């Protein structure tokens, strides 16, 4: 079961990007295999497309959070930002604004909230955990206020996004989520901004002394995660056709954080990959789907997600200790 | 000197080796009740190892530890129970708690399970008054002056039943009046029959306070003498030894830093010899005040290595935060090439061509989780602010820098955390000094590295100056300064007490100057 021994035996010949997530990949395949054996419905195209659509929103939020957490930050308000933006978009559309304009406005609102989070953390030096927990609570209430506690329908606006298909088969939401994850991966690998996130998360003092614009990078990171959360909100409302109480919020937030942690991003910053995060998102989606198909009591879902998260967190800690970078 | 009784603490023939390096060799040490026994020696002489052996934190490879004449396999818990207690240089009071709570930590008096505050404060006040300390017990530790914290901490260990107190530099970073308060407390403890092991770099203090003095050098006990029978020059001679004059026939494997510095040909910018020519003043500090520094003036010329030497934690350690822009100066100016560098601005300092290399590489210098090559690229990236990262070019530059600075590892480009201390230090220097610069500050550049890496680093720093950079060295290590610098400025309590070319001052004089003696 140990990932390190697994890496030691097999890892030499595989590319580094893959070996790092070998454990996660194995778990994913095992769960997939077990489910496929027990439920013939699992490996059908319809079901897999369904799963991919369900995880698309989580993936978009998780991509932003991966960057942020790599830089040592955290944002607990992403789910609430998604809830607020879906409400804003729905209200704008129902008051006669064009669907795409409303969507743009929603994304902008998300970015603006992210900027506020970033300013509180960067300039007032509030611990990001506390600051974003506070904004999360505020935004949870604001989201309900915006839609007045009722479902607000958007009719057939944004149908292209919510139900459209690219090449006649792939849902537009999945394409969008893939593009976002690809972009996030490229940013983390090839841009100075992305690499600076690693340096800041790894040692903020050293990064500052090396002349890296720490404050600006952090602000930008919070804004970016807010923007992606806003995009997630737009995706949610386009798929559900309405903004309703209980959309997004804490449940979504916790799934996102869990996915990023399962994907191997260090909670204390300094390391993380989008590939891992995507695997984490898919794993959580597959687990939920498998429990559904196997007709396990729905209450076990939370137990399963929590269990996976706990195992992943322990594995990450042990791996960090192996490399001597826990300090 | 009461040496007829059974000593409360005795070490016989204690030795300790760390990975091949001998930290202690066959050291004897006795402490009688009611005695102040000082241990002195240069950095790396083995003082800390000796102290940790006494407290059971280290198990010696050879020799025995006796408490009250009984031989014990000492563990920290047993040492504690036997009344051997240490007061570390790093203070360990809980800042948010009151003095009474700190004194009685873990053993507050209770009645029916509720803390009896009245009794707690009375007990604490009695304990303090007993030792002649006047501090209100309801103040919080955070509000105490540094000297008061030291006093409370010593009082706590004494109150908790310490019969042997090990005081590790209790007066470091204290002024004269505050140090006198600590001395009074030590004398009060002695008169009550407590045995005190006293570690200090301040020889004047030790001569005035101690009953006996043990001198350590290179892990060996050189001599143990009654304080009344020795003077400052004799102590300095015993600490420094005859290393410099009899280098050839000693078993000491440590190379003479001056010699390696001259003899090895340098890979970094030409010859690293002493024939450097000092040029224009490039880095100027005028009336700089912050922390312990008071109105500090200094000119560092191009092509010259100027050292600021002081006791550990003194004025020289303020230079890094000030020059790097981490902290704003209270007063004064920093000028590079005749232009003012705004204080408290990291970007401005870098842009002015000033490179500050920290003495604490893992806290302020390197990102341990990232690879060597990426660490080497950090300062460049901070300066040039590119949009994209070119991995191939970064690796090429990294490989060249690794070769030039002699960073070696099993894998070519591992995470910095996997490197040895010496290689980390070389990576640090390469990262900060690799970009164009006019002046640099090096803080303890050979701190915590092995002998071979030390020689490499000396060569690198010598090469820097030879290539025309103004090099400022901040150090608390006399050996390092003697081995590297062309000129030395000695600071004590934040003020300059001497400024000489290195060839007009002897090593002994420097030791005496930093250790508190008067310049001769």
């Amino acid at each position: 079961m140990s990932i390190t021994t697994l890496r030691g035996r097999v890892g030499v010949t595989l590319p580094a990007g893959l070996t790092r997530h070998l454990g996660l990949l194995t778990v994913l395949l095992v769960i997939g295999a077990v489910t496929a054996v027990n439920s013939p419905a699992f490996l059908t195209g319809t079901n897999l497309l369904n799963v991919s659509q369900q995880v698309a929103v989580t993936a978009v939020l998780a991509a932003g959070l991966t960057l942020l957490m790599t830089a040592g930050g955290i944002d607990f308000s992403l789910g609430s930002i998604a809830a607020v933006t879906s409400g804003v978009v729905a209200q704008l559309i129902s008051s006669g604004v064009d669907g795409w304009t409303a969507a743009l406005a929603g994304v902008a609102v998300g970015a603006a909230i992210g900027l506020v989070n970033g300013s509180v953390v960067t300039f007032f030096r509030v611990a990001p955990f506390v600051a974003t927990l506070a904004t999360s609570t505020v935004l949870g209430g604001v989201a309900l206020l915006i839609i007045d506690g009722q479902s607000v329908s958007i009719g057939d606006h944004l149908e292209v996004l919510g139900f459209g298909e690219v090449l006649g088969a792939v849902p537009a939401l999945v394409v969008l989520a893939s593009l976002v994850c690809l972009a996030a991966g490229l940013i983390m690998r090839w841009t100075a901004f992305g690499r600076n996130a690693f340096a800041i998360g790894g040692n903020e003092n050293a990064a500052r002394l090396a002349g890296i614009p720490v404050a600006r990078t952090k602000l930008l990171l919070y804004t970016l995660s807010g923007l992606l959360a806003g995009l997630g909100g737009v995706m949610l409302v386009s798929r559900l056709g309405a903004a309703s109480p209980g959309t997004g919020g804490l449940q979504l937030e916790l799934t996102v954080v869990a996915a990023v942690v399962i994907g191997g991003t260090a909670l204390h910053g300094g390391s993380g990959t989008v590939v891992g995060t995507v695997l984490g998102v898919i794993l959580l989606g597959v687990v939920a789907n498998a429990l559904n198909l196997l007709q396990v009591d729905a209450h076990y879902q939370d137990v399963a997600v929590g269990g996976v998260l706990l195992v992943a967190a322990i594995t990450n800690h042990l791996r960090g200790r192996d490399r001597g970078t826990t300090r | 000197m009461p040496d007829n009784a059974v000593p409360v603490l005795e070490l016989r023939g204690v030795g300790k080796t760390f990975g091949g390096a001998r930290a202690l060799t066959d050291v004897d040490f006795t402490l009688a009740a009611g005695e102040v026994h000082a241990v002195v020696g240069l950095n790396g002489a083995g003082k800390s190892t000796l102290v940790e052996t006494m407290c059971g934190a280290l198990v010696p490879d050879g020799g025995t530890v006796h408490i009250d004449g009984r031989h014990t396999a000492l563990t920290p818990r047993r040492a504690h129970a036997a009344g051997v207690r240490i007061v570390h240089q790093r203070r360990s009071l809980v800042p948010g708690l009151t003095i009474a709570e700190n004194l009685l930590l873990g053993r507050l008096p209770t009645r029916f399970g509720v803390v009896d505050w009245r009794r707690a404060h009375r007990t604490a006040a009695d304990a303090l008054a007993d030792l002649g300390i006047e501090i209100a017990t309801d103040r919080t530790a955070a509000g105490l002056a540094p000297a008061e914290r030291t006093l409370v901490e010593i009082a706590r260990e004494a109150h908790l039943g310490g019969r042997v107190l090990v005081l590790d530099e209790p007066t470091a970073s204290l002024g004269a009046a505050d140090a006198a308060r600590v001395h009074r407390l030590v004398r009060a403890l002695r008169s009550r029959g407590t045995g005190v092991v006293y570690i200090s770099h301040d020889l004047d203090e030790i001569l005035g306070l101690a009953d006996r003095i043990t001198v350590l050098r290179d892990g060996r006990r050189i001599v143990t003498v009654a304080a009344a029978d020795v003077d400052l020059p004799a102590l300095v001679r015993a600490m420094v030894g005859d290393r410099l004059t009899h280098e050839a026939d000693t078993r000491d494997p440590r190379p003479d830093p001056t010699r390696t510095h001259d003899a090895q040909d340098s890979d970094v910018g030409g010859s690293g010899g002493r024939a450097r020519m000092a040029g224009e003043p490039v880095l100027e500090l005028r009336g700089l005040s912050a922390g312990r520094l008071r109105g500090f003036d200094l000119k560092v010329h191009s092509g010259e290595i100027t050292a600021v030497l002081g006791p550990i934690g003194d004025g020289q350690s303020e230079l890094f935060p000030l020059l790097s822009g981490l902290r704003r100066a209270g007063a004064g100016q920093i000028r590079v090439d005749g232009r003012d560098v705004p204080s408290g601005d990291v970007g401005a300092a870098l842009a002015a061509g000033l490179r500050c290399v920290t003495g604490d590489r893992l806290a302020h210098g390197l990102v341990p989780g990232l690879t060597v090559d990426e660490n080497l690229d950090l300062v460049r990236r901070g300066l040039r602010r590119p949009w994209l990262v070119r991995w191939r070019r970064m690796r090429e530059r990294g490989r060249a820098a690794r070769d030039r600075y002699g960073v070696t590892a099993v894998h070519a480009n591992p995470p910095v955390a996997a490197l040895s201390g010496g290689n980390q230090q070389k990576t640090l220097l390469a990262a900060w000094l690799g970009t164009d610069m006019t002046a640099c500050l090096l803080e303890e550049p050979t701190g915590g590295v092995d002998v071979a890496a030390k020689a490499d680093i000396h060569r690198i720093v010598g090469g820097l100056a030879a290539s025309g950079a103004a090099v400022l060295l901040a150090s608390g290590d006399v050996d390092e300064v003697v081995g590297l610098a062309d000129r030395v400025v000695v600071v004590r309590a934040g003020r300059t007490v001497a400024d000489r070319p290195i060839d007009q001052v002897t090593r002994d004089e420097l030791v005496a100057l930093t250790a508190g003696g008067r310049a001769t």
Side-chain angles (χ1 to χ4, degrees):
Chain A
M1 184 57 212
S2 165
I3 285 172
T4 15
T5 52
L6 209 71
R7 274 201 314 186
R9 237 176 281 143
V10 197
V12 215
T13 51
L14 292 171
L18 205 62
T19 50
R20 185 179 164 148
H21 303 297
L22 214 56
L24 193 49
L25 211 55
T26 314
V27 174
L28 188 57
L29 289 177
V30 168
I31 290 178
V34 170
T35 317
V37 168
N38 289 303
S39 161
F42 179 69
L43 273 187
T44 58
T46 343
N47 183 55
L48 291 183
L49 280 181
N50 190 22
V51 171
S52 67
Q53 236 166 337
Q54 278 165 359
V55 301
V57 175
T58 320
V60 168
L61 268 67
L65 188 63
T66 306
L67 266 163
L68 183 57
M69 277 177 63
T70 299
I74 184 99
D75 193 338
F76 278 106
S77 66
L78 296 178
S80 307
I81 294 179
V84 166
T85 46
S86 70
V88 166
V89 172
Q91 283 293 17
L92 282 177
I93 288 177
S94 74
S95 66
V97 178
D98 166 57
W100 295 112
T101 316
L104 264 182
V107 172
V109 166
I113 298 173
L115 184 62
V116 171
N117 274 337
S119 311
V120 171
V121 169
T122 314
F123 297 124
F124 297 104
R125 316 229 163 168
V126 181
F129 179 88
V130 178
T132 60
L133 202 59
T135 43
S136 167
T137 314
V138 171
L139 294 174
V142 170
L144 289 175
L145 287 173
I146 289 173
I147 55 174
D148 203 16
Q150 291 161 356
S151 242
V152 179
S153 168
I154 60 167
D156 56 1
H157 285 91
L158 297 178
E159 214 177 31
V160 179
L161 179 62
F163 296 94
E165 284 173 350
V166 176
L167 299 175
V170 191
L173 286 179
V174 176
V175 173
L176 184 58
S178 309
L179 288 177
V180 166
C181 289
L182 183 67
L186 291 176
I187 286 174
M188 284 184 85
R189 176 74 186 164
W190 290 100
T191 66
F193 169 68
R195 297 316 294 178
N196 288 349
F198 280 88
I200 293 168
N203 188 344
E204 192 172 328
N205 285 326
R208 181 172 291 122
L209 282 166
I212 286 169
V214 173
R216 192 208 299 170
T217 306
K218 278 178 152 181
L219 267 185
L220 215 53
L221 282 165
Y222 278 96
T223 310
L224 182 64
S225 356
L227 184 145
L228 289 178
L231 182 60
V234 172
M235 291 163 72
L236 268 178
V237 80
S238 74
R239 200 171 117 79
L240 300 174
S244 352
T247 310
L250 200 59
Q251 185 64 41
L252 176 61
E253 174 63 42
L254 291 181
T255 315
V256 169
V257 173
V260 175
V261 173
I262 289 169
T265 299
L267 271 169
H268 46 78
S271 89
T273 61
V274 176
V275 175
T277 296
V278 169
L279 286 175
V281 168
I282 293 175
L283 178 64
L284 288 182
V286 167
V287 167
N289 183 248
L291 292 176
N292 260 336
L293 292 177
L294 301 178
Q295 290 170 346
V296 178
D297 186 345
H299 295 127
Y300 279 105
Q301 285 210 9
D302 284 348
V303 177
V305 171
V308 172
L309 177 59
L310 202 58
V311 170
I314 292 171
T315 316
N316 280 352
H317 172 72
L318 293 179
R319 192 173 54 189
R321 205 173 51 179
D322 281 351
R323 290 201 316 234
T325 52
T326 35
R327 280 198 305 158
Chain B
M1 180 178 23
D3 51 1
N4 47 352
V6 178
V8 279
L9 177 70
E10 183 175 11
L11 277 66
R12 288 186 202 151
V14 166
K16 180 76 192 172
T17 310
F18 293 109
R22 302 206 68 117
L24 283 182
T25 311
D26 196 23
V27 171
D28 296 327
F29 184 89
T30 60
L31 180 73
E35 180 191 31
V36 176
H37 192 156
V39 180
V40 298
L42 297 176
N43 293 329
K47 298 190 296 288
S48 312
T49 315
L50 185 69
V51 164
E52 287 182 42
T53 310
M54 289 175 189
C55 304
L58 280 179
V59 180
D61 303 331
T64 51
V65 182
H66 303 255
I67 295 178
D68 289 330
R70 281 195 306 276
H71 169 51
T72 28
L74 211 56
T75 62
R77 193 181 291 253
R78 274 191 206 155
H80 218 247
V84 179
R85 279 150 196 277
I86 183 164
V87 178
H88 287 283
Q89 204 177 343
R90 187 168 290 177
R91 299 287 160 251
S92 65
L93 296 178
V94 186
L97 298 186
T98 62
I99 304 309
E101 283 170 287
N102 268 297
L103 264 172
L104 304 171
L105 205 61
R107 55 185 74 192
L108 279 170
T110 55
R111 224 165 52 184
F112 311 122
V114 179
V115 174
D116 184 347
W117 286 110
R118 190 190 301 245
R119 195 144 65 89
H121 281 286
R122 191 150 19 85
T123 315
D126 287 350
L128 289 178
D130 214 24
L131 293 167
I133 303 170
E134 288 167 6
I135 298 173
T137 56
D138 54 355
R139 289 172 65 190
T140 57
L144 294 181
E148 293 176 320
R149 268 179 232 171
T150 310
L151 294 175
V152 169
E153 215 162 308
I154 296 173
R156 174 174 70 184
E157 297 308 324
H159 175 69
L160 295 180
R163 296 181 306 126
V164 174
L165 287 186
V166 181
L167 308 184
D168 189 2
E169 303 205 37
T171 54
S173 73
L174 292 187
D178 287 337
R181 290 179 77 183
V182 175
H183 297 162
R184 270 201 300 280
L185 175 57
V186 171
R187 290 195 181 97
L189 286 167
R190 170 169 60 188
S191 64
R192 290 174 12 149
T194 310
V196 178
V197 179
Y198 200 93
I199 316 284
S200 174
H201 279 105
D202 189 334
L203 298 182
D204 278 345
E205 165 182 49
I206 280 175
L207 285 168
L209 187 64
D211 298 309
R212 285 194 295 163
I213 302 173
T214 288
V215 180
L216 292 182
R217 188 205 317 150
D218 297 335
R220 291 168 191 277
R221 185 178 65 94
I222 299 305
V223 69
T224 300
V225 289
D229 301 342
V230 72
D231 58 2
L232 187 77
L235 264 189
V236 169
R237 227 169 11 253
M239 283 163 67
V240 173
D242 47 8
R243 258 210 305 240
L244 293 179
T245 42
H246 297 283
E247 189 66 38
D249 55 49
T250 48
R251 302 153 309 284
D252 184 354
R254 192 181 309 195
D256 177 359
T258 16
R259 192 127 22 104
T260 46
H261 187 75
D262 278 340
Q264 299 190 3
D265 47 358
S266 167
D267 293 340
V268 184
S271 133
R274 274 292 158 86
R276 289 188 289 266
M277 294 292 292
E280 298 294 306
V282 170
L283 173 63
E284 276 179 84
L285 312 181
R286 289 187 190 166
L288 213 54
S289 295
R292 289 179 67 76
L293 275 186
R294 301 262 176 279
F296 186 69
D297 293 307
L298 186 69
K299 277 184 187 168
V300 186
H301 300 256
S302 66
E304 185 189 47
I305 304 176
T306 302
V308 177
L309 174 72
I312 288 166
D314 209 309
Q316 85 279 3
S317 55
E318 307 283 353
L319 290 175
F320 176 75
L322 283 177
L323 296 193
S324 65
L326 276 186
R327 213 169 73 210
R328 205 177 288 278
Q333 284 179 311
I334 301 166
R335 293 168 76 85
V336 175
D337 264 344
R339 275 190 298 275
D340 263 347
V341 179
S343 168
D345 184 344
V346 173
L350 284 171
L354 187 56
R355 300 286 177 272
C356 298
V357 186
T358 173
D360 190 348
R361 51 183 174 258
L362 289 180
H364 288 104
L366 298 168
V367 184
L370 295 183
T371 62
V372 172
D373 287 354
E374 198 168 355
N375 269 285
L376 290 174
D377 200 47
L378 280 186
V379 178
R380 219 188 126 270
R381 208 156 73 205
L383 274 172
R384 306 243 170 107
R385 304 272 173 92
W387 280 89
L388 296 178
V389 173
R390 305 245 163 88
W391 287 94
R392 189 197 298 222
R393 258 192 241 170
M394 184 202 287
R395 289 207 189 90
E396 278 164 13
R397 270 197 306 270
R399 196 179 310 126
R402 275 187 273 129
D403 287 348
R404 195 147 24 101
Y405 284 83
V407 179
T408 49
V410 184
H411 304 288
N413 184 25
V416 159
L419 291 178
S420 70
N423 277 313
Q424 285 181 355
Q425 190 66 24
K426 289 184 209 166
T427 306
L428 178 74
L429 291 169
W432 250 264
L433 306 175
T435 43
D436 286 340
M437 55 133 183
T438 42
C440 63
L441 165 70
L442 309 178
E443 193 183 37
E444 313 273 359
T446 57
V449 307
D450 61 69
V451 174
K454 210 172 202 165
D456 282 349
I457 291 168
H458 280 205
R459 184 170 51 76
I460 291 167
V461 176
L464 275 177
S467 66
V471 181
L472 176 57
L473 187 71
S475 181
D477 184 347
V478 174
D479 276 325
E480 184 170 66
V481 168
V482 170
L484 272 173
D486 300 313
R487 186 161 72 95
V488 57
V489 174
V490 181
V491 289
R492 272 197 89 203
R495 293 180 193 281
T496 305
V497 294
D499 180 352
R500 313 239 186 102
I502 200 77
D503 47 15
Q504 287 173 31
V505 64
T506 67
R507 194 165 170 289
D508 297 14
E509 279 177 298
L510 285 180
V511 171
L513 277 168
T514 47
R518 291 142 293 271
T520 43

